């Protein structure tokens, strides 16, 4: 672990027994965990290279308990790390040695389903898939579908602004959440949004979504639900080069088709997956596209024919449209198993998450190949081709000395490359601790300070999830200072009216 | 007469704000000025004219993105997109004609700063949902950037969201990047005739809860129906738009017409009629008419299913129509100078959502809340957010709420 975390507060640690005792008065029974063995499951999230036992784990069940815990921590200068299901791949829920780990798992109820207004009101610990399941009987679903949807929770989705394979057409979490109840560090409980559209003033909900648990603790979420499309079909298209696959993606979108999903895999990924799942993927191609169209059958059939024609124009060597739901699911089974498949061909893999302008894909793949040789580590690529979100899987063996460090350096180089070609550090996994120290490749100090001032508006003492997202912590008082100079009217050479 | 500062580039914009901060001056941010009469009347010392920031700087149709200087006329962007068979999917409406201004005057910066949307809001989102990247000068006189030029991005806080709909009170945008989308190949509208407001809300809920993929849903009651283009009769019409490829639109039109038969008599409008109709819905035609300009105008966002209850909660002399499946209600009050804010605010408390007084004489807008009043905790947080961008309150002070 190479990331420096905020200095441990010895004074807080020395009061640990008292803190645990107080927390037990707020959350009675089994809701406070302080034994090392029992805290072990909370020591990391999905980014398992980073581990740290928290000072204490608390699992509240009511908004009031959350408010009391936060107020107590605020009044006593104790740091708090919120956690959903712990599936984050960026270390956003990594505990702090002197911090309270606030687990939201017991907030697991669907509070209201309102089909007339097409919303569901759920507690943050409800899993993503459970929201869809709760409304499936009426033919509805919740659109964002991160690949961890069986396990990940809505609260975590809000914190990370999660996407999924369908977000090109249906948007990310931020486009599908209408309201939330949020508790600030002071214990204040606020409602942002509701069952209506758009904010009455500042779009604070838009700020909270994707804020990685640094602004407040969400205790209820109102999400939009949609009626399921009548039907969906997928086409599997193989290309001799990634350039041709990329050109096909651009042409599909350029002609005005927005597929429900559009995924690409490179050769190493295709091979790893096919051995594992036997989805029927062609093995003699350099790049494979899965294009899914959804809607009424009349529309889907029409568009599939158009996509096939475009693919052939772009030099596809294989093209197969699903003819049954079973076959469509099999096509996806391969893509969805890409991560575990990487785990089968390599003892460990490190999943990256940059976004690039789509047209830069061939260049990025070429440069990545060079980096792969430089670091002596293999890489397989899966790519949300429609929106440019790239997931390189770096293959390494943590038992070989130095390989984890090399994998991390390789990963950082890939992300710098993404930024260099006009992309960003993270498309959907979040900054967390993982990409924290790379933030200056995208943002100036002025940019980062402006973001931290927003944090100060929500959490002036900086006690909520410190050490994540921002490479350098500043005190709010210091950030608030302003150098003011009087003087002449600016640019007097310009006309004034 | 207010002085005007017209920076030519971002450095001059920074300099202008720093000068204002250092000399205790306040700035009114203006692009084309088309929405100047919306919000609390401003008492600023200097106008910061951002209309020099013009021009599309990047447009990649295949990547679905467009970057422009914030003062670029919206009309220029819409023309360019149209030439490439693309569009702003959020279908921004135009406040100009509602405020006695000519149509088509706004800038892209203004569209984003006021978080505009049109009838497609229910399917495609508002300006906020298409706002990918920004460079802006904060009230500290510092240029900041956020977001980027890619659709999928969670790197740092989503500052675009909070700038969208901030009415120039946080920062002066100079450059923006937005998501653009292909135009639908064709469209049609299914019309259910003669419904009352309650029946209409139920019909719209049924349509939006079906797999017909409705892209716009409005109810135009009897008393305003004649103001809308494209309708076959000047009678109450509940209208639902379907867009996409021709075979799909044909299929869904049949499906939706069948679904709505039980509500009332159903007719369909072809693409040309549908386009005309939705243009007038988007432009709030009844209340942009000369005869209506003196009426105070409210814009209410509310949960759609119960929106019709509004009728019973406010004066029967009010005129109104519903967009967004009922979730957006435009209400024109009968008498000039009487906004009847009390009954509107009470109704919104009852139904949920928020109300904005879009049009009223300046004296009235100065004396009551134009934007929805917030409960104290939320108001305090909004104020802290304002201060984090603009600690000396130099940018459009008081435009949204006193002190913000």
């Amino acid at each position: 672990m190479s990331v420096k975390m905020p200095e441990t507060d010895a004074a807080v640690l020395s009061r640990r027994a008292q803190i645990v005792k107080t927390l037990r008065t707020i959350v009675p029974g089994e809701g406070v965990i302080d034994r090392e063995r029992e805290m072990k499951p909370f020591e990391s999230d999905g980014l398992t290279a980073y581990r740290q036992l928290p000072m204490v784990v608390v699992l509240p069940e009511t908004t009031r308990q959350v408010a009391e815990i936060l107020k107590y921590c605020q009044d006593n200068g104790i740091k708090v790390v919120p956690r959903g299901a712990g599936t984050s791949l960026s270390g956003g829920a990594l505990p702090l040695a002197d911090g309270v780990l606030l687990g939201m798992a017991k907030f697991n109820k669907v509070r209201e389903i309102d089909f007339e207004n097409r919303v569901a009101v759920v507690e943050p610990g409800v899993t993503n898939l459970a929201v869809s399941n709760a409304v499936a009987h009426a033919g509805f679903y919740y659109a964002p579908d991160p690949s961890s949807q069986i396990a990940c929770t809505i609260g975590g989705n809000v914190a990370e602004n999660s996407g999924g394979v369908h977000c090109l057409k249906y948007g990310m979490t931020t486009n599908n959440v209408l309201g939330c109840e949020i508790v600030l560090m002071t214990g204040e409980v606020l409602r942002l949004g509701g069952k209506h559209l758009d904010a009455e003033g500042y779009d604070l909900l838009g700020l909270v979504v994707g804020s990685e648990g640094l602004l407040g603790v969400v205790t209820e979420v109102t999400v939009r639900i949609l009626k399921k499309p009548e039907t969906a079909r997928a086409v599997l298209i193989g290309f001799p080069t990634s350039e041709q696959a990329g050109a096909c993606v651009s042409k599909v979108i350029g002609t005005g088709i927005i597929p429900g999903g559009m995924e690409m895999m490179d050769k190493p990924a295709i091979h790893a997956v096919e051995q594992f799942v036997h989805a029927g993927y062609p093995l003699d191609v350099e790049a494979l596209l899965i294009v899914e169209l959804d809607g009424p059958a009349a529309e889907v059939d029409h568009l599939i024919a158009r996509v096939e024609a475009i693919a052939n124009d772009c030099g596809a060597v294989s093209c197969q449209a699903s003819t049954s739901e079973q076959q469509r699911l099999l096509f996806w089974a391969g893509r969805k198993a890409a991560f575990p498949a990487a785990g089968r061909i390599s003892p460990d893999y490190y999943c990256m998450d940059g976004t690039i302008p789509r047209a830069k894909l061939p260049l990025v793949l070429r440069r990545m190949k060079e980096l792969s040789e430089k670091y002596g580590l293999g890489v397989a690529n899966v790519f949300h081709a429609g929106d440019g979100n790239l997931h390189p899987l770096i293959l390494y063996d943590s038992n070989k000395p130095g390989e984890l460090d090399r994998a991390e350096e390789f990963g950082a180089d890939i992300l710098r490359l993404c930024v260099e070609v006009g992309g960003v550090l993270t498309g959907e996994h979040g900054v967390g601790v993982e990409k924290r120290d790379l933030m200056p490749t995208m943002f100036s100090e002025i940019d980062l300070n402006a973001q931290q001032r927003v944090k100060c508006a929500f959490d002036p003492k900086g006690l909520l999830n410190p050490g994540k997202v921002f490479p350098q912590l500043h005190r709010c008082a210091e950030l608030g200072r302003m150098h003011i100079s009087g003087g002449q009217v600016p640019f007097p050479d310009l006309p004034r009216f | 007469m207010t002085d005007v500062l017209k920076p030519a580039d971002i450095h001059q914009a920074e300099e202008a704000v720093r000068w204002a901060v250092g000399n205790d001056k306040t700035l009114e941010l203006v692009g084309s000025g088309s929405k100047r009469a919306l919000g609390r009347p401003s008492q600023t010392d200097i106008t910061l004219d951002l209309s020099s920031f013009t021009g599309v700087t990047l447009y990649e149709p295949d990547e679905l993105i467009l970057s422009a200087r914030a003062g670029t006329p919206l009309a220029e962007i819409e023309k360019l997109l149209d030439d490439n068979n693309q569009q702003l999917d959020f279908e921004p409406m135009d406040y100009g004609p509602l405020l006695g201004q000519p149509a088509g005057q706004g800038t892209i910066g203004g569209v984003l700063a006021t978080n505009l949307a049109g009838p497609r809001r229910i399917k495609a989102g508002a300006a906020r949902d298409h706002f990918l990247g920004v460079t802006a000068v904060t009230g500290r006189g510092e240029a900041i950037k956020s977001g980027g030029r890619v659709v999928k991005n969670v790197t740092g806080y989503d500052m675009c969201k909070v700038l969208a709909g901030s009415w120039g009170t946080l920062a002066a945008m100079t450059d923006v990047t937005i998501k653009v989308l292909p135009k639908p190949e064709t469209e049609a509208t299914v019309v259910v005739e003669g419904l009352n407001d309650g029946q209409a809300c139920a019909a719209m809920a049924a349509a939006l809860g079906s797999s017909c993929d409705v892209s716009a849903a409005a109810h135009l009651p009897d008393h305003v129906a004649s103001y809308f283009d494209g309708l076959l009769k000047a009678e109450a019409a509940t209208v639902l738009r379907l867009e996409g490829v021709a075979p799909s639109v044909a299929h869904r039109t049949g499906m939706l017409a069948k679904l709505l038969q039980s509500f009332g008599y159903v007719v369909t409008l072809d693409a040309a009629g549908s386009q005309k109709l939705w243009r007038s819905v988007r432009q709030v035609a009844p209340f942009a008419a000369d005869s209506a300009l003196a009426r105070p105008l409210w814009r209410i966002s509310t949960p759609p299913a119960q929106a019709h209850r509004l009728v019973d909660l406010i004066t029967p002399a009010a005129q109104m129509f519903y967009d967004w499946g009922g979730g957006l209600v435009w209400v024109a009050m009968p008498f000039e100078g009487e906004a009847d804010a009390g009954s509107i605010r009470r109704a919104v408390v009852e139904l949920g959502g928020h109300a904005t007084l879009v049009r009223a004489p300046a004296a009235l807008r100065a004396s009551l809340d134009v934007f929805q009043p917030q409960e104290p905790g939320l108001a305090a947080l909004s104020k802290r957010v304002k201060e984090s961008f603009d600690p000396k309150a130099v940018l459009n002070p008081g435009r949204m709420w006193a002190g913000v």
Side-chain angles (χ1 to χ4, degrees):
Chain A
M1 173 164 150
S2 53
V3 165
K4 195 167 169 285
M5 295 306 283
E7 217 162 288
T8 304
D9 188 334
V12 166
L13 275 181
S14 70
R15 285 185 283 133
R16 181 171 184 263
Q18 179 58 42
I19 291 167
V20 170
K21 202 174 147 197
T22 308
L23 289 174
R24 288 219 158 96
T25 64
I26 300 173
V27 183
E30 316 244 294
V32 177
I33 301 168
D34 66 334
R35 280 195 213 134
E36 190 177 321
R37 189 169 47 85
E38 290 166 27
M39 293 199 297
K40 200 84 179 152
F42 299 93
E43 69 174 356
S44 81
D45 57 22
L47 186 70
T48 51
Y50 297 79
R51 290 170 196 274
Q52 170 63 56
L53 277 179
M55 176 170 68
V56 56
V57 176
V58 57
L59 306 171
E61 290 180 59
T62 65
T63 299
R64 190 173 165 172
Q65 288 175 350
V66 172
E68 283 180 27
I69 293 164
L70 294 185
K71 183 168 187 335
Y72 168 70
C73 290
Q74 167 91 351
D75 293 346
N76 291 277
I78 303 164
K79 297 168 190 136
V80 177
V81 176
R83 177 186 171 104
T87 56
S88 165
L89 293 169
S90 58
L94 180 70
L96 294 167
D98 57 347
V100 170
L101 187 86
L102 186 72
M104 297 300 289
K106 292 188 174 176
F107 279 77
N108 58 3
K109 285 172 209 67
V110 174
R111 288 189 178 167
E112 187 193 352
I113 296 169
D114 178 348
F115 288 117
E116 274 199 312
N117 286 307
R118 296 169 300 283
V119 297
V121 182
V122 303
E123 294 181 353
V126 173
T127 64
N128 173 291
L129 192 61
V131 178
S132 285
N133 288 344
V135 296
H137 64 280
F140 281 77
Y141 76 116
Y142 173 61
D145 58 343
S147 55
S148 56
Q149 69 180 149
I150 298 173
C152 68
T153 61
I154 290 292
N157 290 178
V158 167
E160 304 295 324
N161 189 16
S162 307
V165 296
H166 290 98
C167 64
L168 176 67
K169 184 168 175 183
Y170 296 101
M172 318 234 306
T173 303
T174 191
N175 313 109
N176 288 278
V177 166
L178 295 183
C180 74
E181 178 184 78
I182 185 171
V183 187
L184 303 185
M185 273 308 292
T186 52
E188 277 177 281
V189 182
L190 302 179
R191 283 204 162 265
L192 308 178
K195 292 181 179 179
H196 57 277
L197 296 170
D198 296 333
E200 72 283 358
Y202 296 142
D203 189 352
L204 302 176
L205 180 63
L207 267 180
V208 165
V209 177
S211 62
E212 306 198 21
L214 269 72
L215 299 183
V217 176
V218 167
T219 46
E220 183 188 279
V221 186
T222 302
V223 300
R224 280 160 74 107
I225 50 173
L226 298 176
K227 188 80 176 197
K228 271 191 201 141
E230 244 178 67
T231 180
R233 285 176 71 196
V235 203
L236 206 56
I237 313 166
F239 290 95
T241 65
S242 62
E243 279 87 348
Q244 286 162 299
C248 179
V249 171
S250 290
K251 265 198 175 164
V252 167
I253 289 173
T255 57
I257 302 170
I258 302 294
M262 186 143 57
E263 295 292 307
M264 194 191 294
M265 282 179 271
D266 70 358
K267 194 167 194 171
I270 300 166
H271 280 247
V273 158
E274 185 56 23
Q275 283 169 31
F276 184 36
V277 181
H278 310 294
Y281 290 175
L283 294 172
D284 54 348
V285 297
E286 281 298 321
L288 186 69
L289 279 185
I290 307 175
V291 184
E292 178 163 291
L293 285 311
D294 60 8
E299 173 176 335
V300 171
D301 295 348
H302 177 83
L303 293 180
I304 290 249
R306 277 168 61 176
V307 167
E308 285 175 334
I310 292 168
N312 287 326
D313 282 352
C314 293
V317 290
S318 70
C319 191
Q320 190 187 4
S322 68
T323 52
S324 67
E325 182 63 6
Q326 196 185 3
Q327 194 178 24
R328 181 184 77 86
L329 294 175
L330 185 63
F331 286 178
W332 278 111
R335 166 60 185 87
K336 289 193 170 170
F339 293 5
R344 262 181 102 241
I345 57 168
S346 170
D348 297 285
Y349 68 92
Y350 182 31
C351 175
M352 307 305 298
D353 166 50
T355 305
I356 56 172
R358 230 182 318 96
K360 305 284 186 189
L361 180 69
L363 169 71
V364 169
L365 288 180
R366 208 159 48 236
R367 294 267 299 273
M368 220 186 288
K369 209 168 175 185
E370 290 163 19
L371 288 170
S372 167
E373 281 157 22
K374 177 183 158 191
Y375 286 101
L377 296 173
V379 62
N381 275 290
V382 294
F383 186 49
H384 300 304
D387 46 35
N389 188 198
L390 187 64
H391 292 310
L393 304 168
I394 299 171
L395 310 175
Y396 72 99
D397 182 349
S398 56
N399 288 324
K400 290 189 187 156
E403 279 216 351
L404 171 60
D405 289 342
R406 282 213 317 275
E408 287 191 339
E409 281 168 40
F410 185 4
D413 275 355
I414 291 174
L415 295 182
R416 285 189 198 101
L417 173 61
C418 291
V419 174
E420 184 194 317
V421 302
V424 300
L425 291 173
T426 171
E428 57 184 349
H429 294 173
V431 176
V433 289
E434 186 201 23
K435 284 153 267 187
R436 187 191 77 185
D437 294 344
L438 291 170
M439 287 288 270
T441 61
M442 242 180 95
F443 297 113
S444 70
E445 197 182 339
I446 289 173
D447 301 335
L448 289 171
N449 286 351
Q451 294 192 29
Q452 287 199 58
R453 284 189 198 99
V454 169
K455 158 95 170 152
C456 291
F458 283 79
D459 173 25
K461 289 190 175 177
L463 291 170
L464 199 53
N465 218 3
K468 317 289 168 65
V469 182
F470 299 111
Q472 270 189 309
L473 291 176
H474 298 287
R475 286 178 183 283
C476 290
E478 178 196 330
L479 286 168
R481 261 180 234 134
M482 207 167 159
H483 302 287
I484 296 171
S485 52
Q488 296 295 305
V489 174
F491 42 93
D493 49 321
L494 275 166
R496 301 171 72 227
F497 306 96
Chain B
M1 190 177 163
T2 317
D3 276 338
V4 177
L5 281 173
K6 191 172 178 182
D9 58 34
I10 192 161
H11 302 294
Q12 290 192 345
E14 287 180 305
E15 209 184 317
V17 176
R18 280 189 209 138
W19 172 82
V21 168
N23 290 278
D24 291 323
K25 301 287 186 196
T26 54
L27 301 172
E28 182 196 14
L29 307 191
V30 171
S32 70
S34 65
K35 304 176 207 37
R36 239 174 167 166
L38 211 167
R40 296 176 76 245
S42 112
Q43 304 275 332
T44 47
D45 302 314
I46 309 276
T47 296
L48 186 65
D49 180 343
L50 298 161
S51 63
S52 296
F53 292 85
T54 56
V56 170
T57 50
L58 174 89
Y59 175 37
E60 294 185 358
D62 292 354
E63 299 267 346
L64 305 177
I65 57 149
L66 180 146
S67 302
R69 320 297 304 279
T72 309
L74 178 64
E76 183 184 325
I77 289 174
E78 291 196 315
K79 165 84 171 56
L80 175 66
L81 292 174
D82 195 54
D83 290 344
N84 287 275
N85 211 24
Q86 294 193 327
Q87 64 184 10
L88 296 175
D89 223 28
F90 56 97
E91 217 178 0
M93 56 82 61
D94 185 356
Y95 277 121
L98 291 176
L99 302 172
Q101 301 266 335
Q105 300 294 300
T107 63
I108 188 65
V111 166
L112 294 166
T114 57
N115 189 32
L116 291 189
R120 208 182 285 107
R121 172 69 182 91
I122 49 173
K123 180 178 177 214
R128 76 185 283 275
D129 296 291
H130 300 255
F131 191 7
L132 302 179
V134 66
T135 303
V137 177
T138 67
R140 304 171 67 92
E142 294 175 333
I144 60 163
K145 61 182 183 325
S146 178
R149 50 159 292 189
V150 291
V151 176
K152 216 164 161 193
N153 177 12
V154 295
T155 321
Y157 296 147
D158 194 347
M159 306 285 255
C160 293
K161 291 284 184 301
V162 76
L163 290 179
S166 66
W167 292 81
T169 60
L170 300 179
M173 294 189 251
T174 58
D175 290 89
V176 299
T177 298
I178 50 177
K179 180 163 95 171
V180 298
L181 281 158
K183 285 180 115 170
E185 202 171 278
T186 188
E187 66 177 86
T189 290
V190 173
V191 184
V192 190
E193 293 179 348
L195 303 188
N196 67 31
D197 296 9
Q199 293 165 331
C201 283
M204 290 190 285
L208 290 166
S210 77
S211 53
C212 292
D213 197 18
V214 171
S215 76
H219 175 62
L220 320 170
D222 264 328
H223 66 276
V224 291
S226 64
Y227 289 93
F228 293 93
D229 301 326
L231 288 179
L232 304 175
K233 289 185 205 163
E235 275 178 18
T238 308
V239 291
L240 301 130
R241 183 174 64 185
L242 302 165
E243 297 176 301
V245 293
S248 173
V249 170
H251 171 79
R252 286 180 286 138
T253 303
M255 208 164 111
L256 188 58
K258 200 169 162 200
L259 176 77
L260 296 175
Q261 266 170 7
S262 60
F263 288 93
Y265 187 70
V266 176
V267 295
T268 56
L269 304 181
D270 64 6
S274 177
Q275 272 169 18
K276 269 194 226 158
L277 170 68
W278 289 102
R279 202 175 302 126
S280 54
V281 174
R282 174 179 176 179
Q283 301 311 0
V284 196
F287 308 137
D290 286 344
S291 58
L293 284 182
R295 289 168 163 257
L297 181 64
W298 289 91
R299 179 184 185 274
I300 301 174
S301 174
T302 190
Q306 295 295 313
H308 58 92
R309 288 181 49 217
L310 193 64
V311 179
D312 303 323
L313 300 171
I314 60 172
T315 167
Q319 295 186 339
M320 57 204 286
F321 78 91
Y322 307 76
D323 196 355
W324 300 356
L328 176 68
V329 194
W330 292 97
V331 181
M333 289 302 176
F335 306 112
E336 184 170 11
E338 292 181 30
D340 206 2
S343 71
I344 293 282
R345 298 284 178 216
R346 275 192 299 278
V348 167
V349 168
E350 170 100 16
L351 299 176
H354 51 86
T356 308
L357 180 57
V358 166
R359 181 175 65 206
L364 196 57
R365 284 182 286 123
S367 69
L368 48 78
D369 282 308
V370 170
F371 290 85
Q372 181 74 23
Q374 296 185 309
E375 59 90 14
L378 197 51
L381 179 59
S382 294
K383 194 162 193 306
R384 294 198 299 273
V385 169
K386 160 78 173 176
E387 285 162 359
S388 76
F389 282 88
D390 181 19
K392 296 282 171 192
V394 295
L395 304 180
N396 279 357
R399 176 97 186 247
M400 297 179 79
W401 298 288
V404 169

